[in-house]
Amino acid sequence: MSENCIFCKIASKQIPVEALYEDDNFIAFRDLAPQAPVHVLLIPKVHIETIMELSDPELMAGSIKAVQATAKALNLVEEGFRTVINCRENGGQTVYHLHFHLLGGRFMQWPPG
Ligand code: AMP
């Protein structure tokens, strides 16, 4: 847990959110500024700043399983969805607690702006 990290507070339930998916290591909840009809954030419960600090093999594998489980829970599998990890300044990362965006419910343009 990192003090002053908003996502640590969500993961530890100091700030309550509706968990759309949860397991021992990850929790998913709605983005407060949705960029698509479905916009969910999936975060590890431990504080990891960016994808570059993700090194635990169990968490690495678990994160992909959790993305899959979240997509299933949100009924995104058939129509498809986009998952995004922004990393640091040029990636557009604003919250320095690793998170996967899951975006769905509309067609996603490529390349991103
Ligand atoms: P990023 O720009 O990749 O770091 O994404 C951070 C995301 O976190 C943005 O889409 C924000 O809208 C979202 N966000 C920030 N604070 C909260 C919060 N308290 N609850 C839900 N989403 C949040």
Side-chain angles (χ1 to χ4, degrees):
M1 169 116 190
S2 172
E3 237 178 277
N4 301 324
C5 171
I6 188 89
F7 287 179
C8 280
K9 288 182 180 152
I10 288 172
S12 65
K13 315 228 161 123
Q14 279 177 50
I15 296 175
V17 288
E18 181 192 357
L20 301 171
Y21 169 78
E22 183 167 9
D23 62 28
D24 288 347
N25 297 319
F26 294 90
I27 184 167
F29 54 92
R30 287 194 199 286
D31 195 297
L32 60 70
Q35 302 300 312
V38 181
H39 187 174
V40 167
L41 302 174
L42 175 73
I43 64 169
K45 291 182 177 176
V46 293
H47 186 76
I48 298 171
E49 278 205 353
T50 82
I51 190 173
M52 297 310 294
E53 285 78 42
L54 177 61
S55 56
D56 178 330
E58 191 189 337
L59 281 186
M60 283 175 158
S63 65
I64 300 300
K65 287 183 187 168
V67 167
Q68 292 171 339
T70 303
K72 283 181 192 162
L74 295 165
N75 281 319
L76 293 173
V77 176
E78 196 176 324
E79 289 189 336
F81 64 97
R82 179 165 295 169
T83 188
V84 172
I85 305 168
N86 295 324
C87 185
R88 297 198 183 275
E89 198 175 339
N90 278 359
Q93 185 173 6
T94 58
V95 178
Y96 278 70
H97 179 130
L98 175 64
H99 49 281
F100 294 74
H101 295 258
L102 280 87
L103 297 139
R106 67 166 169 81
F107 180 79
M108 300 293 150
Q109 300 290 336
W110 188 264

